[in-house]
């Protein structure tokens, strides 16, 4: 195996230099790739070829559809109905509004698939509501941003589609099923943390539990939750491909938002689609530029070299699993989610497989690590969104989030060392 150390240094060194200089991630990836190509004497036409190849995937067509579905449902009056449903389920507990916030994120995550959308949409409603009822503003914001990470694990998640495409040969249906139980465990751990804090700070209880009210709210929210069932059952049951189910879900979401919940007008639909195009342009540019980067990583044998270096440290599987998590957590502190999935997966997945971690399980590990990274300075986008929505300083939010980091790390360790947490549901349908 020939090792071109200078080319590897140019590719990785300039990439991290551009990141430290706060270049947009897509520009950092593209510029470092171009400099590496020039160093190797390869034609720059390779850039265009690899960019087109990177987005010429039938499976990736699901990504724009899922993002559009999330925007339509998120803007169509769904948030309030899901909050009412969560309130009927858990609002009676001590610190009930914190529990409602967490459960709402579980429901809403299955629709939006985005932690940022969850924080912005639910946070704008829940944070003022919690503060008004006597909860501290920093606690309310911390609960909102940490629970929003459930949305990354609850299908349909476009990040799961990106991982499946990058990993190659991974069943999107299996990934969808694999996310449910870890998301539920994450929600449960956050609820335990919230309850302990709520008891200590004597936060209020909500109204008493009423079964009739719960059944009523389930009936009202049925049309929103059915969108998730349509996608997951369709993909897992083999009725649709992920792309086909995503396209059908967009049409369904449009009809529900406009004609059933009437949270959107046709004029409003065009505004939503305008936001979708803006988001999609960012995502697709990241995917296409990361394709060049991935091509060069493979050409320079970086995944093999990284695997040999990491495996050479120790043969202890527990230590190696912890090291993989540490690498992903550090990357999450300085990079956004999609680039981590696109760049780190080809390097770290072979190592994970070598120590007995299933590719589907590793996908959940990657996504949960990236979710924690979204809450971590200096590039935690969800942290910044929560701070802005809650009008609380970053420092106070980070301090209030510390107990919830522990809850998230516990969940991460369970996913890492107990394979059945993520593989139980997929195994039932295989």
């Amino acid at each position: 195996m020939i090792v071109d150390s200078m080319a590897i240094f140019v590719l990785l060194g300039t990439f991290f230099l551009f990141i430290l200089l706060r270049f947009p991630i897509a520009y950092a990836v593209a510029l470092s790739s171009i400099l590496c190509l020039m160093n190797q004497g390869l034609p720059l036409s390779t850039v265009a070829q690899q960019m087109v190849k990177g987005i010429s995937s039938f499976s990736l067509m699901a990504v724009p559809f899922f993002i559009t579905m999330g925007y339509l449902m998120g803007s169509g009056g769904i948030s309030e109905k899901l909050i009412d449903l969560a309130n009927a389920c858990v609002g009676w507990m001590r610190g009930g509004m914190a529990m409602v916030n967490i459960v709402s994120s579980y429901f809403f995550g299955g629709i939006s698939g985005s932690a940022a959308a969850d924080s912005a949409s639910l946070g704008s409603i829940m944070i003022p509501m919690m503060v008004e009822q006597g909860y501290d503003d920093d606690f309310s914001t911390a609960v909102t941003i940490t629970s929003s990470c459930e949305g990354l694990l609850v299908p349909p998640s476009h990040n799961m589609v990106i991982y499946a495409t990058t990993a190659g040969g991974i069943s999107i249906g299996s990934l969808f099923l694999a996310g449910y139980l870890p998301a539920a465990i994450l929600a449960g751990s956050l609820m335990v943390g919230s309850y302990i804090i709520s008891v200590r700070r004597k936060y209020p209880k909500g109204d008493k539990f009423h079964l009739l009210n719960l059944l009523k709210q389930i009936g009202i929210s049925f049309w929103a939750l059915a969108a998730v069932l349509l996608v997951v059952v369709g993909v897992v049951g083999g009725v649709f491909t992920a792309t086909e189910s995503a396209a059908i879900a967009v049409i369904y979401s449009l009809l529900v938002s406009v004609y059933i919940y009437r949270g959107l007008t046709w004029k409003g639909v065009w505004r939503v689609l305008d936001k979708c195009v803006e988001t999609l342009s960012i995502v697709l540019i990241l995917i296409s530029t990361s394709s060049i980067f991935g091509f060069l990583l493979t050409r320079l044998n970086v995944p093999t070299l990284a695997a040999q270096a990491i495996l050479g440290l120790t043969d202890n599987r527990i230590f190696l699993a912890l090291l993989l998590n540490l690498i992903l957590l550090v990357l999450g502190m300085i990079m956004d989610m999609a680039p981590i999935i696109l760049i780190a997966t080809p390097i770290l997945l072979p190592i994970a497989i070598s120590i007995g971690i299933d590719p589907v399980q590793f996908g959940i590990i990657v996504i949960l690590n990236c979710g924690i990274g979204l809450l971590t300075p200096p590039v935690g986008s969800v942290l910044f969104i929560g701070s802005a929505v809650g009008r609380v300083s970053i420092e106070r939010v980070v301090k209030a989030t510390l107990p919830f980091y522990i809850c998230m790390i516990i969940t991460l360790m369970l996913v890492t060392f107990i394979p059945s947490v993520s593989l139980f549901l997929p195994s039932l349908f295989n």
Side-chain angles (χ1 to χ4, degrees):
M1 182 176 64
I2 299 174
V3 179
D4 189 340
S5 301
M6 179 55 70
I8 294 173
F9 175 77
V10 170
L11 179 65
L12 299 180
T14 55
F15 170 70
F16 285 110
L17 176 62
F18 289 139
I19 292 293
L20 291 174
L21 293 175
R22 299 295 182 90
F23 275 56
I25 188 71
Y27 293 160
V29 170
L31 288 173
S32 59
S33 300
I34 290 171
L35 291 173
C36 183
L37 285 170
M38 293 172 65
N39 174 266
Q40 292 194 292
L42 295 174
L44 292 182
S45 58
T46 306
V47 174
Q49 293 169 357
Q50 291 300 319
M51 286 182 72
V52 172
K53 184 179 178 181
I55 57 177
S56 297
S57 167
F58 182 74
S59 297
L60 276 179
M61 289 177 63
V63 174
F65 287 126
F66 281 138
I67 291 175
T68 305
M69 168 195 166
Y71 270 105
L72 287 170
M73 296 294 275
S75 303
I78 308 300
S79 305
E80 294 85 350
K81 294 173 178 59
L82 294 179
I83 289 171
D84 290 340
L85 174 60
N87 190 33
C89 291
V90 296
W92 52 271
M93 301 172 67
R94 172 70 67 182
M97 289 309 297
M99 310 303 174
V100 170
N101 198 331
I102 294 166
V103 174
S104 297
S105 292
Y106 192 92
F107 292 148
F108 191 76
I111 293 170
S112 72
S114 167
D118 191 339
S119 293
S121 180
L122 292 179
S124 61
I125 302 170
M126 289 299 305
I127 294 174
M129 190 182 298
M130 290 178 69
V131 172
E132 185 178 336
Q133 294 192 19
Y135 294 81
D136 295 315
D137 54 358
D138 55 348
F139 171 80
S140 304
T141 304
V143 170
T144 300
I145 62 173
T146 50
S147 63
S148 69
C149 292
E150 298 162 26
L152 302 172
L153 298 169
V154 178
S157 168
H158 63 270
N159 290 298
M160 289 184 178
V161 177
I162 294 173
Y163 171 80
T165 306
T166 307
I170 306 297
S171 167
I172 295 176
S174 294
L175 273 172
F176 281 176
L177 288 172
Y180 275 116
L181 191 52
I185 293 173
L186 176 59
S189 65
L190 293 175
M191 290 176 73
V192 170
S194 297
Y195 180 79
I196 293 171
I197 295 172
S198 297
V199 169
R200 288 183 175 181
R201 298 185 183 181
K202 298 182 180 179
Y203 288 144
K205 293 182 179 180
D207 297 329
K208 290 184 178 180
F209 176 79
H210 293 287
L211 180 60
L212 290 177
N213 184 41
L214 174 60
L215 295 175
K216 175 186 175 183
Q217 294 304 328
I218 290 175
I220 293 172
S221 304
F222 169 79
W223 295 104
L225 300 176
V228 180
L229 292 176
L230 177 68
V231 173
V232 176
V233 173
V235 173
V236 174
V239 181
F240 314 118
T241 65
T243 303
E244 291 166 347
S245 68
I248 292 170
V250 169
I251 298 172
Y252 176 87
S253 303
L254 181 63
L255 296 176
V256 168
S257 297
V258 174
Y259 292 114
I260 296 179
Y261 289 141
R262 298 182 180 179
L264 273 179
T265 63
W266 283 105
K267 189 177 291 185
V269 169
W270 288 111
R271 287 195 294 269
V272 170
L273 292 178
D274 183 58
K275 293 180 182 178
C276 286
V277 170
E278 183 180 343
T279 301
L280 289 173
S281 63
I282 297 170
V283 172
L284 293 177
I285 288 171
L286 280 172
I287 292 173
S288 60
T289 54
S290 295
S291 177
I292 317 167
F293 199 87
F295 164 77
L296 289 170
L297 287 174
T298 303
R299 178 184 172 84
L300 296 170
N301 296 307
V302 172
T304 304
L305 293 171
Q308 291 175 350
I310 293 175
L311 293 173
L313 294 174
T314 179
D315 59 358
N316 187 304
R317 292 185 175 185
I318 294 176
F319 178 79
L320 288 171
L322 291 173
L323 183 59
L324 290 177
N325 278 305
L326 179 61
I327 292 171
L328 289 166
L329 283 171
V330 171
L331 288 174
M333 294 179 186
I334 60 175
M335 294 170 62
D336 209 348
M337 188 166 187
I340 295 175
I341 295 173
L342 291 162
I343 295 170
T345 298
I347 299 174
L348 301 182
L349 179 58
I351 302 171
I353 293 173
S354 71
I355 60 174
I357 297 178
D358 187 271
V360 172
Q361 178 190 1
F362 186 65
I364 302 302
I365 292 172
V366 170
I367 289 171
L368 183 51
N369 271 295
C370 291
I372 298 172
L374 293 174
L375 311 176
T376 311
V379 189
S381 57
V382 173
L383 176 64
F384 296 142
I385 290 171
S387 175
V389 172
R391 298 181 181 179
V392 185
S393 68
I394 296 288
E395 294 78 11
R396 289 183 62 211
V397 176
V398 170
K399 185 177 179 181
T401 306
L402 291 177
F404 298 109
Y405 284 136
I406 297 172
C407 298
M408 300 183 80
I409 294 297
I410 290 172
T411 304
L412 178 61
M413 292 299 100
L414 291 175
V415 172
T416 301
F417 295 111
I418 305 178
S420 58
V421 169
S422 50
L423 299 179
F424 173 70
L425 287 179
S427 68
L428 293 179
F429 293 89
N430 291 331

